[in-house]
Amino acid sequence: QPALAIAVGLALGGWFLHRQRTLPNPLLDLSLFANRAFSTALGTYLFSILFVFGTFYFTAQYLQLVLGLSPLSAGLWSLPSALAFIVGSNLVSRIVRWIRPGIIVPVGLAMASAGFAALTQVGVASLPLLVVSTVIMSLGLAPVITLATDIIVGTAPPERAGAASGISETSAEFGGALGIAVLGSIGVAVYRHQVTRTLPADVPPAALAAARETLGGAALAAEQLPAPLASTLLGSAREAFVQGLHVTAVVGAVALAGLAVLAGILMRDIQTGAESQGELDL
C-alpha cells in the first residue's frame, strides 16, 4: 500500500535524523543547515539540478520520438546546450570578481526561467527553438550550479568541508531523481489525458493501450499498423507529448522565477573573495 510505504519512509527518516543528532561524528551534520548561506545554496543547487534532469528527460524523447532523429543525431543536437553549460561554468569565475553571488544567482535563475518559457512555444517540428531554449537554460543554470557548489563547501567549517561536499553530491543525485520523477509524472499525466482524447477510434485495442502508456509505446505500436493509421496515431501521440512538454515548461518557468526572487532575498548578503570566508575556488 502506498500510504504504508510513505508512513514507513517517514518513520525511518525521523529515526535517521534523531540518530544523526546524537552521534559525535554524524554521517549527516545537521548543524550545517543552521547556516543560511549553506542552506540557501543547497536548496538552490538541488532545484537547479531537478530542472536540468527533468528537461533532459523530455528533450531526449522529443528529439528521437517526436522529430524522429537517430540516437546519434539527437546526441549531436544536444551538444549546444552541453557546450553552453561549459561556457557558463567557466565564465562565472571571471564574472564573480565584480558581481556578487547574490546578483549572479537570481539573474541566472531568471535566465533559465526564460528558457523554460521559450519551451512553451515548441511544436512538433521546432528543432531550432528547442536548441535555443536549452542553450538559454544551460547558460543560466551553469553559473548558479557552480556558485552554489562553491558556497556550500566554502561556508562550512574547514573540518566539515568533506561532509558539506558529501551533502552537496547527495543533493545533486536526489535532485536529478526527483526531477525525472516529478516533471516526468506531470508530463506523462498530461500526455495520457491528451492522447486518450485524440486517438482515432479505429485503432486496435492493443495499439491503443500501448499508445496511452508512453510516446515510445505509441511509436512501437505504430510499426504494426497500416501506414495511414500509423501516421494518424503517431501524429496524435506526438501532439500529446508536446502538450505535456508545454505544461512541464510552464511549471519550470514559474518555479525558477520564484526561486530567483527567493535567492535574491536570501543570498543578498553573500560576498566573494576577501569579503567572504575566503576566495571562491572556481
Side-chain angles (χ1 to χ4, degrees):
Q1 293 291 334
L4 179 60
I6 292 173
V8 172
L10 291 174
L12 290 174
W15 173 82
F16 175 79
L17 293 177
H18 173 73
R19 179 169 171 75
Q20 297 307 299
R21 290 192 184 96
T22 58
L23 290 174
N25 295 297
L27 178 66
L28 178 63
D29 190 349
L30 298 176
S31 64
L32 292 172
F33 291 89
N35 186 315
R36 189 183 72 179
F38 176 90
S39 298
T40 304
L42 185 66
T44 302
Y45 184 47
L46 186 150
F47 281 103
S48 297
I49 295 294
L50 185 154
F51 286 107
V52 166
F53 275 72
T55 303
F56 289 165
Y57 173 82
F58 284 97
T59 55
Q61 293 187 75
Y62 180 90
L63 291 171
Q64 294 185 61
L65 298 177
V66 176
L67 297 182
L69 300 180
S70 68
L72 177 59
S73 296
L76 291 175
W77 280 110
S78 300
L79 283 179
S81 63
L83 293 174
F85 204 96
I86 294 172
V87 171
S89 299
N90 282 276
L91 284 179
V92 71
S93 62
R94 295 170 175 81
I95 298 173
V96 79
R97 297 172 185 172
W98 298 282
I99 305 176
R100 294 182 294 107
I103 296 176
I104 297 175
V105 171
V107 170
L109 291 169
M111 183 182 297
S113 176
F116 267 95
L119 272 181
T120 64
Q121 304 305 308
V122 168
V124 293
S126 303
L127 179 58
L129 181 56
L130 179 81
V131 173
V132 170
S133 301
T134 54
V135 166
I136 293 172
M137 283 186 285
S138 294
L139 284 174
L141 288 178
V144 173
I145 292 173
T146 304
L147 276 177
T149 303
D150 194 271
I151 293 169
I152 290 168
V153 178
T155 54
E159 67 276 8
R160 304 305 298 165
S165 179
I167 293 173
S168 173
E169 289 300 315
T170 302
S171 70
E173 298 295 333
F174 178 65
L178 199 61
I180 294 173
V182 173
L183 296 184
S185 296
I186 293 172
V188 169
V190 175
Y191 167 81
R192 289 176 177 173
H193 174 73
Q194 292 294 328
V195 83
T196 300
R197 295 174 52 195
T198 58
L199 279 178
D202 53 345
V203 174
L208 188 63
R212 283 174 176 168
E213 288 299 314
T214 62
L215 178 57
L220 290 174
E223 295 177 358
Q224 312 301 321
L225 300 176
L229 189 56
S231 177
T232 303
L233 185 148
L234 274 179
S236 298
R238 286 167 176 166
E239 286 283 357
F241 181 87
V242 170
Q243 289 296 318
L245 174 63
H246 289 171
V247 172
T248 55
V250 170
V251 171
V254 173
L256 287 173
L259 188 60
V261 174
L262 189 61
I265 296 172
L266 296 178
M267 301 181 74
R268 63 184 181 277
D269 298 326
I270 296 178
Q271 304 292 333
T272 64
E275 299 172 322
S276 178
Q277 293 187 6
E279 211 170 290
L280 286 176
D281 301 322
L282 298 172

